[in-house]
Amino acid sequence: MIEWAVNLAITLFAVSILLNLYRLAIGPDIVDRILALDTLMINSIALIVLFDIRLSLGILFEAAMLIALMGFVGTVAMTKYLLRGDVIE
Amino acid sequence: MVATLAPLAGLLLLARHWPQLAADDPLIATVQWIPQLGLDLSFRLDGLSWLFATLITGIGCLIILYARYYFEGKASAPRFFILIQLFMTAMLGIVLSENLLFMLVFWEMTSLVSFLLIGFNWSNRGARRGARLSLVITGGGGLALLAGILLLGNMAGSFQLTEILAQSDTLTNHRLYPLMLSLVLLGAFTKSAQAPFHLWLPHAMAAPTPVSAYLHSATMVKAGLFLMARLHPALGDTELWFALITVTGMITLMVGAFVAMFMHDIKGLLAYSTISHLGLITLLIGMGSEMAMAAALFHLVCHALFKAPLFMMAGYVDQATGSRDMQLINGLWRWMPALMLVTIVPAAAMAGLPLMSGYLSKKMLFSESLLVTAPHWANVVIPVWVTVAGLFSVAYSVRIFHNVFFNGKPRDLPIWPPKKKPAMALMPLLVLAGLSLLVGLMPQAIYDHLVHYAVMATTASHLPLYDFSALADAHTPAMMSLLAMLAGLAVYAARKPLFAIHARLPDVDAKDIFETVMQRTIRFSQTLVYQLENGSLQRYLALILLTTVALVAWSLTGLEQWRGPVPLSDLDPLVVFGISILCLSAVGVVLFHRYRLPALLLLSVTGLFVTLIFAWFSAPDLALTQLSVEVMAVVIMMLALSFLPQTSPRESRLPRVLRDLFVAVAAGSGVAAFTYAVLTRPSNSISDFFLTNSVPGGGGSNVVNVILVDFRGFDTLGEITVLGIAAVAVFAFTRNLNLKHRVAESGHSHWVAEPHPVFLQVVAHMALPIALLVSAYIFLRGHNMPGGGFIAGLVTAVALTLQYMAGGLAWAHERMRTQFRSLIGAGLLMALLTGMASWVFGYPFLTSTFAHLDWPLIGEFELASALMFDLGVYTTVVGATLLILANLGKLMTIAGPGKEIG
Amino acid sequence: MTWLQRWLPHPLFTGFLVLLWLLMNQFSFAHLLLGSVLAVVISLVTQPFWPERSRVKYPGKLLVYLGRLLLDILKSNLVVARRILFQSDDLKPGFFTYPLSLTDDFAVTMLASTISLTPGTVSAHYDREGRTLLIHCLHLDDEEALIQDIHRRYELPLQEIFDD
Amino acid sequence: MELMISVALGILTTCGVFLILRARTFSVVLGLTLLSHAVNLFLFSMGRLTTGAPAIVGLTPDSADPLPQALVLTAIVISFAMTAFVVVLSLKAAVELRSDHVDGENPNEDRP
Amino acid sequence: MTVSTMPFLLELVVSLFLIAGALFALIGSIGLARLRDFFMRLHGPTKASTLGLGCLLVGSLLYFSFQRGTVSVHEAIVTVFLFATAPVSAHMMAKAALFRGVGKGGPSRNYPDR
Amino acid sequence: MTHLMILPVVIPMLAAAWLLLNHRASIGRQRVWSILSTSLLVALGVWAVTAAQADYHTYWLGNWQPPFGIVLVLDRLSAMMLLLAALLALFCVLYASRGSDREGSHFHALFQFQLMGINGAFLTGDLFNLFVFFEILLLASYALLLHGGGRARSRAGLHYVIINLLGSALFLLALGILYGLTGTLNMADLAVRIAAANPDDQTLLKGAALLLMVVFGIKAAILPLLFWLPRAYSAASAPVAALFAIMTKVGFYAMVRVLLIVFGLDSAQPLNADVFLWLWPLALVTLGLGAIGILGAASLRTMAAYMVILSSGLLMASFAMAEATVLAASLFYLLHSTCLAAVFFLLADLIGRQRAEGYDLLSVTAPLTNRWLLGTLFLVAAASMAGLPPFSGFISKAWLLQNAVSHPKYLWLWGITLVAGLFMIAALSRAGSGWFWKPEPYTGRQRRRLDPARVATVSVLIGISAALALFAAPVMDYMSATAGQLYQPSAYVEAVLGESAMANGGHNP
Ligand code: NA
Ligand code: NA
């Protein structure tokens, strides 16, 4: 059953990612795209976790953790750039 | 007068060897230099070299004597004496070399030194141009000669003359004989000013007169003749030899003689006369018979003896009156009677008047010209030709004497009355004139004791002595001589209308032609280079890509089958999904590339999916690294983005887009094809070794990490070095980058855009310790599980970057309490010293060691030297990443240039 | 500044780090030791970045607060899900300003995060001088009620926890 | 799947190459990044593609080829260093030359 | 996949968590795609996706805890981290949107305009 | 296995890391460390050349046996390149220490990194490791190129960097193909496996060989790939440009190493034959372009840059003749041309500093001080470069042409080389007469002092070129033996992998 659930979850997350990409592509504003990317990052954390379960490895959490950290930093960098025209000042 | 000592000594030495000339074998002395090249310091003294060496040193002595007065009171005198000695050495080297390559060394040396001598009066534009012209022509000829000699050496198997001269048949029958001969003769002709390479010689007259007298009458120009004479036994006596040399000599003879007649410049006249005489000697060498050779060498001696004093006379007059123009200089006999008297002999000799040396040699020429029968045109054409040329030579000889010393009164001379030199200054002239006279009076003795041995050397045979009494009886040559003389006088008498006609001819200056040709060539080169190297990076890249694609495509045409034997694996929908998104986002980057920020976001997506692909295909370490690197890279690009235009105009026209698309698709197809070809072929890798030895040999179960820090730790050492260099480089070239104007623009006063949002600060502060703990965790587990120093370092760096973003550069930097460059240095040292530590135990660099320890309470744990290495990696990564970021961030803030961060 | 304060500027947080280390690794004496060393060192190293003294007075209450928050997040998500899926055209989004009584930055951050994580609200701007939060609401019906709700449910407990 | 991977790498390469042939440094940097993705994936796939078998001893019965992974890791780091460098350099060049145009002499560029 | 030894109930719970998480995330993304205005779109991902991931991570936590026999809490750390950062991300994006005047004249009332 | 072998990499890295750690040290201290390190490298180079005469030396890094671990191989070629690079570097660092090192930051650290990269590239026996060292030396060279700042450097640097990044990508592609088909990275092991590969795989491997030719060709400056070079080299500061004279040679070295060892083991049908087929015409055209560029150059630095191109063309053309004797001669020419190109870059600076205006522009004939001394140096250097005797240029060119005779297509090489020589004579005499003869004596009020140390550096470097001619015979013996060794790839394989490797088809544990 878990296999089935994992596959279903992966499919759902894949659909989510497609929706995120759709928003990323159409915008209209750059903040929309940033938001879309931020969400995409979160959804891909999910994908990584699901890979881990599906492959029964248990070693991909660090990747998930890093995506969370990096996604946050990336989003902050981009918004700061929009707000201040610079990232570090 | 020290300067004369050297040639004098040389002369004496030569004289001492004179008795040995009669012997069959030449004197040869060899010191090995470069046997691989066949280049030895090898000298040869035989009749020919003795004759030339004697001329060189003898006339050299007199020239130096003459120069002493010529350069009296001039600061440039020492330079002249140094150069002339050098030149003399080079000339002696040419004539005394046994090894042809060795001779070439001196050959080129004469070109170079004569370049300096011609350009001696460098402030004069004519001198500079003349020097360059001569260097390019003679230097170019030298290159041809190099090729010719190399070929010759290759055919003969040696560069030693003795061996070459012994292989005449092999050489002349060789397939490459024509090519080799042409190249050698090209060298000889350029040096000896044979038409059409004669152009440099008149312009070499810009040199001081002693130079002209020495180089352009007696020595350098004779080098080419010497070479022909020297190689005659080996290469001569073929139709090609005859045709090439004789025809060239004939043309040169005529051109020189004709032009000389119309020169108003004394030295110019002498220069063209020299050309003409060189042509004459060349013609004789080309005929190739023993007698012709004898005539050639005899005339060569005569020419040296009469031409040098004439040049000296020209210099004397030039210095005395400040001019060399014969239209102005007239009737000097009144002021310089002694000079006039001394000049009579060489001038008469040049004209070939009876009793003079020149008369004999000319007669020899005439008689030889009658003997030529080989090509049927020659026996008529050559005699007529030489007679006509003789006519001109009579005319210009008379002219130089008459126009200078008689012909009315001087006009508008720059220096008047003429400055006189001490009587001693005439000594060299006197000596030469005397010698010239002596040759004319007792030719047989001179020939027998001096020239004959040389002729033997050039013909490699024992020939009877030339019989001058027979010459006296020859009627036809005497008639030809007489005819030339009378006609010459007639032409001279009719010079006024002839000059008028000549003046109407277009004025052609070889220097100008040379300059024009040079300028054109240079401009052509510049245009070509500019068109190729036009500063368009894209064109360079496209060229590289096209070359690559073309070469690789060509190489693969022979491939039988792209698809290998390994069966294809099933398509996982998840892989399809991931890869499709990857491709889509990449295409998105292309579509959005003109809009910076969206393109960057799509690029992040690409990176993210590359990460996912790594994660899916069993490469967790790669996934972690790719991810961290991607974010740092995007942050760096964001930082830079504020200085770059946010959008770029649409620039590419359709053809350009199509071209680029073609290149891109070709490159992409190549990569795809290779991927497919390799993936469908079986693999046979060394990796089993790593999987087997990772735990027992490297002490870690994460094989990728063990490879990185142990099996291939050297790569990693290099990798962190790259990172360190990048950071230091960024530091170095942003240090003085002035962006003040940007700072002024960036005043954000919007109410929502405070520089350091509070919430961000709070979360960032909390995130830092956690992130550090996480890095410690990732670092420590790296040896056994995905992770390691690099990723840990990036996590730390990212967390610290977050501090920069949240609190600002100044705020955060104050709190770092460390210098990033020191951190990089320390990290590299740590890794390096870990590697060096293995020397202590006698193992190679970077040999790792590990131990399982069991301490009370703590239990069993592992300590590996690789951990120390990895700590170095960690430190370097943190230092490097932050150094880059901080310095990029610095650009817009703080004090501006000069203030160092990190 | 006492000796303990110098070496353990944020004792609670250092403890949290040790716990985190043990969670990431295994519970063993070796890891406790290693974790403690790391936690202390990291706290010391990062202390300059975090100069304020910790003001959490009642850690227990904080845990209760966090538990309640988790439940609220679950609820809020169901609400938002329904709105997104079925009422997206009837939504009446809008901004409102929330007057703060909290002063501590950390506490305000907690509050703002809480607001962002719970029903249909996102804190968009914090005006430190005017001590207000600008909040965007997905479906803004009754502004006053919402302000009261936030104040009662979250701000008061936070004031207690931080003794603000 | 091999075909799919090949095509994907081809597309990545195509995109990267097309971008580095654009006239602005930023596009070039984008292109180089895409190209390095393509190359890294290529090198990675040369160890053949394996799912669910990380090269960790004792985790799974079989194991992916660890060597290309280590190589790619090195390559990623190096290309990161290079990217950072080239970004800063292009920024410097753009500031100094007052243009980020790199396709030949730019008519708009200030001359010294 | 070695799930055969797992008790059915645990399996069911894990599956439920996974699917619930996926559904929440999907809803968040649908919101991102469908809603009319940036500030409305901001709600979906910040809440739904975060919670969705939270659920998923709890599922994973249960799964691996069972698999390994010890409590595996890495997922919890990720969750906590996400819950701490997501509001700040949203906050920053909202600021950026306000700065750029995104959504001005859109459906959101009381658009702050100073 | 002697630890001295790793020192050419370790010492400069140690020096560089130390300099970074103490980055606040005064410039004087930095110079001392840098010069000390470089001098040690010269000593090591001398040791290497001596040691390499006996046999191959290998060094197993981390004590992992090849092909599994990375191996360093010291043979005659690498030893000679080590010595050359160290010598050149010593002159460059001495010259730079007279002030150019102050124009930017961290010159000495970057310089040492550069040496580390170069030495590593010469020593390594592992193809991926070669890639890593290439990246080190490239990145350091980018940084050094930009040393001192300025627009020209930024622009040229950008082109240089981006083109080489493309080159790196191609390198990785080639490595991927090689690894994908053979499963190994060690050059010797690769050689064995490539020779044993089936014909279809060999075709693919040939593609990799051509890719590598392009990669090395970019660095070695071969025709359609070299357009980054003139501007980059002429923009660099003098000591850096002088050091860069060795960089194209690194490309050439890699080409020789890889084509002869990795793709040359199969004696019946070596894969490198197909590469030579392309290399030959391209190199000849490069040679021609170099000559044209020299004639069309606007400054002495640009001229020197084209000299580098010309010498690259000649080197590669002669290499493409695929004969040991020709290779020996071209290695000798390599020594000569590297020294002289460096001389010209330094000379351009030396002269430029003494001129009233125009620096090293040929179109400007400004008065200059010390025209005697400078003119003489220029004359000797020019004569040697143009191949006039008795300097090394003549000897090397003569030997090269002479040895090339046995090749059926030698006339092409001869013709283009000789015409190029003529072009060089024309260009150099024009430059020299315009500079040293044309202008009035320097009358400027403030006296430009000629730095004796700089002059001495350049003079000694010129002297080396002269010494190369004088003591050519032993050097030529060394080169012949080197070329002979290179055409014995099986000996290399045996030295690296052990004797049974050939029989077992590689991977011999
Ligand atoms: Na909320
Ligand atoms: Na978020």
Side-chain angles (χ1 to χ4, degrees), chain C residues 76 112-123 135-136, chain E residues 43 46-47:
Chain C
S76 81
S113 298
T114 308
I115 290 170
S116 290
L117 287 169
T118 48
T121 46
V122 170
S123 59
I135 295 171
H136 182 264
Chain E
H43 290 269
T46 47
K47 282 173 275 285

Side-chain angles (χ1 to χ4, degrees), chain F residues 163-177:
Chain F
I163 285 174
N164 276 302
L165 285 181
L166 178 63
S168 302
L170 295 176
F171 199 159
L172 283 178
L173 282 179
L175 273 170
I177 298 167

Side-chain angles (χ1 to χ4, degrees), chain F residues 36 108 226 243 270 282 325 327 413:
Chain F
L36 183 71
H108 291 289
L226 56 71
L243 184 70
L282 292 178
T325 50
L327 183 60
L413 185 75

Side-chain angles (χ1 to χ4, degrees), chain D residues 25 28 32 35 39 42-43 46 48 65 67-68 71 78 82 85-86 89-90 92 96-97 102 105 109-110, chain F residues 128 135 139 142 146 150-151 154-155 157-159 161-162 165-166 169 172-173 176-177 179-180 185 231:
Chain D
T25 48
V28 175
L32 285 172
L35 198 59
V39 167
F42 177 79
L43 191 54
M46 288 300 110
R48 309 305 189 269
D65 187 345
L67 188 54
L71 304 184
I78 287 176
M82 291 292 175
F85 184 89
V86 87
L89 178 57
S90 59
K92 178 181 160 80
E96 284 180 348
L97 306 169
V102 280
E105 305 292 342
E109 180 191 310
D110 303 0
Chain F
F128 189 81
E135 297 302 303
L139 192 42
Y142 307 152
L146 291 161
R151 287 169 178 218
S154 293
R155 184 209 291 276
L158 195 61
H159 290 188
V161 174
I162 290 172
L165 285 181
L166 178 63
L172 283 178
L173 282 179
I177 298 167
Y179 181 80
L185 297 164
R231 290 182 193 218

Side-chain angles (χ1 to χ4, degrees), chain B residues 788-842:
Chain B
F790 184 80
I791 299 158
L794 273 182
V795 170
T796 305
V798 164
L800 287 169
T801 308
L802 193 59
Q803 308 309 309
Y804 278 122
M805 291 195 232
L809 185 66
W811 181 88
H813 199 69
E814 232 168 71
R815 287 160 177 78
M816 295 282 184
R817 290 192 291 200
T818 173
Q819 293 283 315
F820 300 137
R821 278 172 290 165
S822 307
L823 218 53
I824 298 172
L828 292 178
L829 274 181
M830 221 182 290
L832 200 54
L833 292 174
T834 312
M836 288 160 74
S838 37
W839 290 344
V840 179
F841 308 100

Side-chain angles (χ1 to χ4, degrees), chain A residues 35 38-39 42 75, chain E residues 45-46 50 82 85-90 93:
Chain A
L35 176 61
D38 189 62
T39 316
I42 291 182
T75 305
Chain E
T46 47
T50 313
L82 271 176
T85 56
V88 178
S89 303
M93 285 187 274

